[in-house]
Each structure stands twice: as structure tokens, then as C-alpha cells.
Amino acid sequence: MEQQFISNLSTTSFSIEEGSVNAKSPSNIALIKYWGKKKNQIPTNSSISYTLTNSYTETELKFKKKQSDNFEVEVYLEGEKKNSFSPKIITFFERIIDYVPFLKGYKFTVHTHNSFPHSSGIASSASGMSALALCLVQIENNLGANLSEEESLKKASFLARLGSGSACRSVFKGLVEWGENNFIKGSSDLYGTKYPDTEIHEVFKTFHDTILLIHEGQKSVSSTVGHNLMNNHPYAEHRFVEANENLEKLIPILKNGDVKAFGELVEHEALTLHAMMMMSNPAFILMKPNTVAALEKLWEYRRETDKQLFFTLDAGANIHLLYPASDALEIEIFIEKELKAFCQNGNYIKDKVNF
Ligand code: DP6
């Protein structure tokens, strides 16, 4: 048990009969990828992500006192009751019960809304778990825990991690690091840490992230299954070392504003993530033919122009296009003219980093 996150509230008597809290949390896109975990959601390597702006989850959590000694949760997504979501939340509650003493004392109703379409293939687990964790910490404070702003965010990140690893990074804005290493001060396996804005060149604070929705709908392999396939993976140990080395390499790049070196590293990370999937047993491929076609088009564009357009991928077929604001005008014309054609239904989402 992590003593620092044990609540100072009593575990039996709660002063409020019923109430409601709200939180909004953005999605994030990893530059150095978390892929592989140990027991209790401890990552096998450090990762870092940009927190986004337009892709977010908004959650209202209502709570009402009850007597029974079990968890009771009802979930509504976009106003519609989702019985299939309750088990995921109950599993989350089971994992965090030692740190959130009131979970059995109340019946909870979750009303949640994503700014991005549910069918878009954009994972809502990071923004969703982060928003829910922020709600729980608010209730804890309303019940008298009196955590400072900093303590509240740290605890929310700690709880969010136990819901979904990457969610711990969505609690903070800017660039957020997760995973203990000896080169980022304050880094931890237990929660995300905001990477200091003073260590980031201005150009990286202007980045756009346009998400090409190459394939809408559910992924064929969940992240959780993918992480587990890193156990007994022939290249896993090397990958974990390389990810940490890549993060260490990124530090001076972020500081000095070397956009080209940034792009090279970030694209290498994305392709390594997918290579790991292809080499796991059983193997799986999450890119679609249009993912590859769009990437080839992007590389061709970069060879022919001096535009600073790069990509990363999450665990799916969609492509995150990363580029600085200074090149946005031309690049967005190129996206509309050339890359949109690779998107299922011609859909893409315009987002940007959140500083
Ligand atoms: C490829 O955080 O979704 O997006 O901890 O099992 O919920 P769980 O996995 P999740 O994994 C995200 C993997 C990734 C890379 C990243 O965000 O770092």
C-alpha cells in the first residue's frame, strides 16, 4: 500500500447525505510510449505525452448515501444508460478502495460525455478515468480531506493510473511524464508529473495534433491485452531500455527546439510500438492499409517540402499529425487535399497541445 495516498477521512462516517461533483479532462498523446506493465499498473518504462485541448471527457458524479456493503454504480454515456460500463468502474473501485474510503458508503451515478465521437476509435479511457479520478478527489475534499491543489492533482493522477495507465498523464496540462527514472526530478511509477514548462522550447508549445480517423470503431486488440503480450516478448527487455533512453534523448531536444530531431524520435517510437505488436505471440497488426498509405504520402510531402510535419500512432489505426503552428497553414491545406482521402468517412479531428 502507498501510505502517502491513504485518506485521512474515517472509513465509516461521512458528513454529506448526497451531492454531485464535475470534472473535465482531456485526452493525451504519448511521444514516448507506455507499452508493458507490471503488477498494480506499474509501467515497465517511462513515457511522456502531450495533453490535448479539444478531445476531452466531461463527467458528473452524483453520490447518495446507502447502507449495503458493496459497490453500486450506474453509468450513463451521452445520456444513455450503459450497463456494460459498470464492471470496468467496479474493477477500478476495487483497485482504489484502500485510498478512497467512501466508495461503499454511497451509491454513484456517473454521467459522462466525450467531445469526440464514441465511434471515432479515439480511446476514452485516459480522459474518462482521469475525469472520474478528479471527481473522486473532489468528493474526498468535500467530505473534509482538505488536500491542497497540488496534493489533489497528485492523488487524482495516482488513482487515474489504477484505472488506466495513460490516464495518470491526463490530469496535468502541457507535457506530462510518468515512470521513475534518474534523469527527471520527481518522476514516479505511481503518478504522472508535469514536465517543467521552463524546460520546453516555445516551438513545442505551439504544436497542433490533427488526428486522421483512418478506421472508426473498436480496436481488434485492447491495450490491456497488448500490454500483457509484452510479458515473454523476445524483444521486451531491449524495448524497455530503449524507451527510457529515448526519453533521456528527448530532454535536450525539448529544451533547444530541435523540431527535426523531435520528429525523428517520435516517429521511431510510434513505429517501434507497432513493431512490438507485430512481433508478439499471438501477433497483431493495428495499422490498416490506409494508415501505411497516408504515412507514405506524409514522408513524400516531407521530402519535397521543408515543412515540419511528423506523425505518431497510438494503439490503433489512426494517425496523429504533429506540426508547429508556424507551418500549420500549408500543412492543413495538404491534409485536406491529400490525407483526408485516407480517412474513413473523410473524418479527422483538429486538436492542439494544451499549455
Ligand atoms: C499505446 O493506458 O490504455 O496509448 O493501463 O491497460 O489501461 P491500460 O492501458 P492504456 O495504454 C496506452 C498505450 C498507448 C501508449 C501510451 O499512451 O503511452
Side-chain angles (χ1 to χ4, degrees):
M1 275 223 270
E2 298 302 330
Q3 289 304 324
Q4 60 173 314
F5 295 109
I6 304 265
S7 178
N8 57 15
L9 296 176
S10 110
T11 50
T12 46
S13 64
F14 305 112
S15 50
I16 305 177
E17 273 305 311
E18 61 184 298
S20 151
V21 292
N22 292 280
K24 175 173 161 179
S25 190
S27 188
N28 70 72
I29 180 67
L31 303 172
I32 306 293
K33 307 290 181 180
Y34 149 55
W35 198 243
K37 59 176 155 180
K38 303 180 229 173
K39 228 174 104 214
N40 298 329
Q41 297 278 104
I42 297 299
T44 40
N45 60 262
S46 301
S47 58
I48 192 166
S49 57
Y50 266 134
T51 298
L52 299 178
T53 306
N54 302 331
S55 307
Y56 58 81
T57 298
E58 263 175 319
T59 297
E60 180 189 21
L61 184 60
K62 293 186 182 162
F63 54 103
K64 191 171 179 165
K65 246 190 194 162
K66 68 168 181 65
Q67 291 307 326
S68 55
D69 189 34
N70 59 354
F71 297 117
E72 262 185 66
V73 192
E74 260 182 23
V75 189
Y76 293 80
L77 173 68
E78 321 289 348
E80 215 175 282
K81 192 159 178 220
K82 289 276 175 196
N83 291 332
S84 60
F85 281 31
S86 299
K88 198 168 173 166
I89 306 236
I90 303 271
T91 305
F92 175 48
F93 281 8
E94 280 163 356
R95 285 188 193 160
I96 63 174
I97 184 71
D98 288 337
Y99 308 101
V100 187
F102 54 84
L103 289 177
K104 288 184 175 167
Y106 291 101
K107 177 192 162 147
F108 294 93
T109 311
V110 184
H111 281 271
T112 190
H113 152 79
N114 295 326
S115 66
F116 42 90
H118 185 55
S119 64
S120 65
I122 299 206
S124 57
S125 64
S127 53
M129 283 298 173
S130 164
L132 186 57
L134 286 162
C135 284
L136 291 172
V137 174
Q138 272 181 57
I139 298 178
E140 187 180 349
N141 279 330
N142 292 352
L143 290 171
N146 278 325
L147 300 176
S148 68
E149 167 87 12
E150 192 185 333
E151 289 166 336
S152 297
L153 291 176
K154 199 187 230 190
K155 178 148 185 185
S157 180
F158 169 79
L159 296 177
R161 182 197 104 239
L162 292 167
S164 177
S166 57
C168 76
R169 299 185 312 236
S170 269
V171 169
F172 304 95
K173 287 184 172 189
L175 276 172
V176 185
E177 190 275 338
W178 169 41
E180 190 178 337
N181 56 61
N182 51 24
F183 45 86
I184 296 181
K185 216 173 127 235
S187 62
S188 169
D189 284 345
L190 302 178
Y191 45 81
T193 312
K194 187 172 163 51
Y195 191 73
D197 285 351
T198 48
E199 294 301 306
I200 306 169
H201 190 280
E202 287 308 309
V203 69
F204 294 121
K205 299 179 187 169
T206 74
F207 262 59
H208 289 232
D209 177 6
T210 292
I211 310 162
L212 300 180
L213 303 177
I214 303 284
H215 181 76
E216 304 190 17
Q218 289 285 315
K219 291 183 291 192
S220 53
V221 178
S222 76
S223 295
T224 305
V225 171
H227 286 292
N228 287 338
L229 288 172
M230 288 300 277
N231 300 325
N232 305 319
H233 187 296
Y235 294 93
E237 280 315 312
H238 180 77
R239 161 63 195 157
F240 302 147
V241 171
E242 196 205 47
N244 285 333
E245 285 171 1
N246 284 347
L247 179 56
E248 196 168 7
K249 279 187 201 158
L250 190 61
I251 291 171
I253 293 173
L254 289 173
K255 181 84 180 172
N256 64 29
D258 187 344
V259 176
K260 189 163 171 279
F262 171 90
E264 263 169 34
L265 197 55
V266 166
E267 291 188 359
H268 174 73
E269 270 291 313
L271 294 175
T272 303
L273 169 72
H274 281 256
M276 287 294 126
M277 296 172 188
M278 290 185 216
M279 288 189 284
S280 58
N281 184 11
F284 59 104
I285 302 180
L286 294 182
M287 287 192 216
K288 296 286 179 197
N290 272 354
T291 312
V292 179
L295 294 184
E296 281 176 345
K297 197 76 193 164
L298 182 157
W299 276 338
E300 185 188 303
Y301 175 74
R302 215 165 58 209
R303 274 194 304 272
E304 289 171 0
T305 68
D306 58 353
K307 297 292 166 247
Q308 307 174 96
L309 173 61
F310 308 97
F311 73 84
T312 187
L313 306 164
D314 58 12
N318 297 333
I319 301 176
H320 288 250
L321 299 169
L322 300 172
Y323 48 97
S326 55
D327 281 357
L329 211 64
E330 293 90 338
I331 287 174
E332 286 170 7
I333 293 171
F334 166 69
I335 294 171
E336 185 61 30
K337 265 187 152 162
E338 303 284 350
L339 297 183
K340 183 187 164 105
F342 298 112
C343 300
Q344 190 176 3
N345 306 317
N347 289 335
Y348 59 87
I349 294 174
K350 282 177 143 185
D351 212 328
K352 49 174 78 147
V353 302
N354 190 347
F355 277 86

